[in-house]
Amino acid sequence: MRLSRYFLPVLKETPSEAQIVSHRLMLRAGMIKQASAGIYSWLPLGFKVLRRIETIVHEEQAKAGHMPMLMPTIQSADLWRESGRYDDYGEEMLRIKDRHGRDMLFTPTAEELITDIFRAHVGSYKDLPLTMYQIQWKFRDEVRPRFGVMRGREFYMKDGYNFDLTKEDALHAYNRHLVSYLRTYERMGLQAIPMRADSGPIGGDDTHEFLVLAETGESEVFYDSAVTDLSFGDRAIDYDDVAQCAGVLEEFTTKYARTDETHDAALFEQIPEERRRVARGIEVGQIFYFGTKYSDALGATVQGSDGKPVPVHMGSHGIGVSRLVGAIIEASHDDNGIIWPEGVTPFHAGIVNLKQGDAEADGACEALYSALTALGLEPLYDDRNERAGGKFATMDLIGLPWRITVGPRGLKNGVVELTSRRTGVSEEMPPEQAIERLVEIYAPHRGQ
Ligand code: 5CA
């Protein structure tokens, strides 16, 4: 993409309505524009990051054997009356009447609808286990939408649902989700710590939230600092292997890590003092096992091997896809702007032409641009007629992890400059070598 043609409405001033850094930077970098309270348009740059996150979620769900599908945003109130949640959900639910006066609503989550699909089509224990998920817009009429996409009213969420014959199988589904989420967040350059949580209006006994530590997080969290040493890495995992998934769950959830809702001061005191941490975190996902709550309410049964109907055991599992864009920025930025982790960056590298109009510099930039594109990388070429300082400031603000700077002086010696946004370190090298380096850097992040 050439910056001269790209729609990137960067703001010079810091928007006064934004209280936290990710909101400020998303507005300043031209990623989003507020449409009304807690509702945003995703401009091209923001949309690109949203798509990258979504793709990682899809890829990791596929590995875990979960099937993508899509349910409507507008749902009939009838099903929600059947489950009892039409009244329970209260003011957070956006209620709509259609032209015939029928009660409809904008989906805040989809346990009811998926269970309705299940009860219509699945009849036998032989059809289990089954896990389906969608990535779809949700609406919750939050009392205090704030912090930009972090607490929106409309937000983009991955919601997955498992149906199993027994509690044991459903707990395996729970563990499998936990493992796949660990991998999902790590690919986005995040450490998200599973913490024992409270189930709220979704219901159920077992639930973990995934929290990214950040000063601006809305949740207060208490943990043993040893949990931050854990990393999933690129270890091989067989998602059908019950013992292996349970082992990972144990490894990542045994040490003390809780949100304020489930915090137990006495247990916390037992951790050696130097390892006790009280901090803040952003909830980027939550997994639930809720047994037969919805299958009982909605009559979702299958015929067991003895021919008798058995209610299915269920769980649901969410990832805050749009919130993650803000959470990643909270975790990765500096005074000059965003620093995207390689896994989610909107463009792989910026090309800055220090002397637009100089035949040699223009030619070298064009050659780099075509070579990177041909290799499947997406460069953003700043081909505007602007001063170098302005070009650098824009690149720093929008946070591409790598920048190639091309100028007549370097080209005389056959070199360009490759700069890491994270460390600020620049290295001179021939253009071919810069290309090779970028291919190497991005190899682990592509086509997984
Ligand atoms: N049905 C379950 C799991 S699919 C569910 O709705 N879970 S949830 O309520 O925990 O939401 C899942 C994730 O969506 C949360 O962990 C959070 O990351 C994100 N989320 C929830 N509310 C908002 C909001 N108002 N704005 C942005 N993201 C949100």
Side-chain angles (χ1 to χ4, degrees), residues 109 111 140 142 150 152 157 159 283-286 316-317 320:
T109 172
E111 280 82 4
R140 295 182 188 168
E142 303 273 352
M150 297 272 251
M157 180 170 112
D159 45 324
E283 181 206 322
V284 291
Q286 187 163 7
S316 74
H317 315 277

Side-chain angles (χ1 to χ4, degrees), residues 38 85 89 92 108-111 138 140 142 145-146 148-161 181 185 199 201-202 209-210 282-288 290 294 315-324:
R85 283 210 293 182
Y89 236 97
E92 263 196 25
T109 172
E111 280 82 4
K138 302 291 183 303
R140 295 182 188 168
E142 303 273 352
R146 56 182 184 155
V149 300
M150 297 272 251
R151 181 161 296 280
R153 293 199 295 163
E154 188 185 56
F155 59 98
Y156 205 38
M157 180 170 112
K158 173 261 168 181
D159 45 324
Y161 306 87
Y181 279 22
Y185 297 120
S199 63
I202 310 287
E209 282 178 4
F210 288 78
I282 303 165
E283 181 206 322
V284 291
Q286 187 163 7
I287 53 176
F288 302 85
F290 41 65
Y294 294 92
S316 74
H317 315 277
I319 294 180
V321 175
S322 51
R323 175 178 288 182
L324 272 163

Side-chain angles (χ1 to χ4, degrees), residues 39-59:
I39 303 177
Y40 291 87
S41 298
W42 291 79
L43 308 183
L45 190 75
F47 185 57
K48 241 169 172 317
V49 178
L50 190 69
R51 278 281 180 262
R52 294 246 198 254
I53 292 173
E54 187 178 1
T55 302
I56 291 176
V57 173
H58 277 304
E59 287 173 355

Side-chain angles (χ1 to χ4, degrees), residues 378-448:
E378 268 190 279
L380 180 67
Y381 171 24
D382 192 344
D383 58 343
R384 298 169 306 162
N385 232 332
E386 275 229 10
R387 284 183 309 115
K391 290 188 175 186
F392 290 147
T394 303
M395 283 296 175
D396 283 353
L397 173 63
I398 67 171
L400 310 186
W402 298 94
R403 186 185 80 207
I404 306 178
T405 310
V406 181
R409 208 180 313 152
L411 288 175
K412 280 210 175 62
N413 303 318
V415 294
V416 296
E417 203 178 61
L418 182 66
T419 307
S420 155
R421 173 73 181 84
R422 188 169 295 278
T423 64
V425 173
S426 292
E427 273 183 81
E428 288 193 336
M429 58 186 79
E432 303 72 41
Q433 201 182 323
I435 295 168
E436 249 170 59
R437 284 279 293 279
L438 290 172
V439 169
E440 259 168 45
I441 288 164
Y442 283 105
H445 298 282
R446 297 207 280 165
Q448 286 201 33

Side-chain angles (χ1 to χ4, degrees), residues 311-347:
V312 288
H313 286 257
M314 290 176 61
S316 74
H317 315 277
I319 294 180
V321 175
S322 51
R323 175 178 288 182
L324 272 163
V325 181
I328 292 168
I329 298 174
E330 288 296 328
S332 183
H333 66 270
D334 64 13
D335 290 346
N336 298 325
I338 303 166
I339 307 174
W340 292 116
E342 273 88 0
V344 298
T345 184
F347 293 97

Side-chain angles (χ1 to χ4, degrees), residues 33 79 112 116 143 175 203 209 260 281 305 313 326 336 364 383-384 410:
K33 180 179 184 313
L79 269 176
E112 281 75 1
D116 183 53
V143 195
N175 300 351
E209 282 178 4
D260 50 1
S305 53
H313 286 257
N336 298 325
D383 58 343
R384 298 169 306 162

